[in-house]
Every structure is written in structure tokens, then in C-alpha cells.
């Protein structure tokens, strides 16, 4: 996630292995001079607002499911994921984006996707724009959901 002041990046994950994997991918995928300053926090994604504050992020991303090449029994869960997306709605600034990649092919994945989708579908179109991208001919393929916080909020007429 990129914060507005100084464009710092925070990475939160419950599993230390996920943080290590992210750190390695950044180190091997970018030139040393272009590496961002990253704060790695081992915590549940539902504590996002406590980690970065409110109205601070231009981008919040979620990659749900299990850690690739990790223990497939350790997955994100619907209650904490919905709480995390609710926190992201408070964290993202005007004009900011929340990106959620939901993997529906593992046990509990469909329920997690549906919980997040229901939350997003209920957002006021006066303040939020949301979309979903999915493969129609691959029912267990990941589903990408994106939510933009509108900059120009319509004024009420009285």
C-alpha cells in the first residue's frame, strides 16, 4: 500500500513466510536504486487501519486464499477478510483504489469471495465505484474486485 506522505509502502501478512516471500520478490525483481522503503508487519489484515491510519493510502491490495507453495490449510477467512476490507474503506484516500484478488478454488474461497462481494455491492454509488473481473469459462479462476473512492462527491440539494 502506498501512503500519501512520502509514498511509503506497508506490507501486512499473518504468516512470516509471506512477508519473507514478498521481501525476496522485491529484492530480486527490482533494481536496488528503485526499491521502495517497505515496512513489513506480521499481523492479521483486519488490523490494517491500526497499522497505517485513516485516509492515508492511495492503493490497498489484497491477495486472498493461501500462500503459493505454502501450507494450503492456512488460508484467509471470511470474517477477518470482510473486516480487513471494511478497514481498507477507511484507509484509502479520496481517489484511491482497493484491489482484491479472491481465489475461489479452495475450501472456503467461494464464501470469502461472496462475503467481500456482498460488502462491496452494498457501498453507496455516491462515494464508491466498484467492478468485478472474472473468467466466464473457468469457474474456479481467481476473481478480481476493485473499488475506487470517488474524489468528487455529489452535493445534496435541499
Amino acid at each position: 500500500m502506498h501512503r500519501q506522505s512520502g509514498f511509503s509502502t506497508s506490507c501486512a501478512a499473518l504468516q512470516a513466510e509471506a512477508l519473507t516471500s514478498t521481501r525476496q520478490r522485491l529484492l530480486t525483481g527490482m533494481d536496488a536504486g528503485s526499491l521502495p522503503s517497505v515496512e513489513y508487519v506480521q499481523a492479521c489484515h483486519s488490523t490494517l487501519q491500526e497499522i497505517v491510519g485513516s485516509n492515508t493510502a492511495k492503493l490497498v491490495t489484497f491477495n486472498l486464499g493461501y500462500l503459493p507453495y505454502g501450507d494450503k490449510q492456512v488460508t484467509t477467512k471470511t470474517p477477518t477478510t470482510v473486516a480487513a476490507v471494511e478497514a481498507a474503506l477507511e484507509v484509502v484516500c479520496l481517489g484511491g483504489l482497493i484491489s482484491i484478488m479472491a481465489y475461489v478454488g479452495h475450501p472456503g474461497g467461494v464464501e470469502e469471495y461472496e462475503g467481500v462481494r456482498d460488502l462491496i455491492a452494498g457501498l453507496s454509488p455516491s462515494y464508491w465505484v466498484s467492478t468485478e473481473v472474472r473468467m466466464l469459462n473457468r469457474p474456479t479462476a481467481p476473481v478480481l474486485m476493485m473499488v475506487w473512492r470517488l474524489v468528487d462527491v455529489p452535493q445534496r440539494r435541499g
Side-chain angles (χ1 to χ4, degrees):
M1 154 184 16
H2 290 281
R3 293 188 195 164
Q4 284 182 306
S5 59
F7 297 103
S8 65
T9 302
S10 298
C11 176
L14 194 56
Q15 298 178 66
E17 186 181 346
L19 296 173
T20 300
S21 174
T22 300
R23 183 179 294 115
Q24 280 304 111
R25 289 194 79 140
L26 284 173
L27 290 172
T28 59
M30 299 181 77
D31 294 328
S34 62
L35 280 172
S37 171
V38 180
E39 173 189 19
Y40 297 93
V41 181
Q42 187 172 354
C44 180
H45 57 194
S46 64
T47 64
L48 175 65
Q49 191 172 7
E50 297 166 29
I51 296 168
V52 300
S54 297
N55 200 34
T56 58
K58 290 188 179 260
L59 175 65
V60 177
T61 63
F62 293 94
N63 191 29
L64 306 178
Y66 56 84
L67 182 63
Y69 309 108
D71 182 352
K72 293 181 180 179
Q73 301 304 309
V74 179
T75 65
T76 52
K77 306 286 187 220
T78 304
T80 56
T81 298
V82 169
V85 174
E86 288 172 337
L89 296 170
E90 297 297 325
V91 166
V92 73
C93 64
L94 293 175
L97 172 68
I98 302 169
S99 156
I100 306 147
M101 183 64 79
Y103 293 83
V104 297
H106 66 87
V110 170
E111 294 80 9
E112 185 176 40
Y113 154 74
E114 289 173 346
V116 172
R117 184 202 57 212
D118 291 348
L119 171 65
I120 292 170
L123 295 174
S124 170
S126 296
Y127 300 97
W128 303 94
V129 172
S130 61
T131 189
E132 175 179 289
V133 180
R134 63 177 8 195
M135 295 176 145
L136 297 176
N137 63 344
R138 295 185 185 212
T140 61
V143 180
L144 175 62
M145 295 173 277
M146 294 178 285
V147 183
W148 288 270
R149 186 171 175 190
L150 295 176
V151 174
D152 296 316
V153 177
Q155 298 296 318
R156 290 188 179 181
R157 296 179 191 204

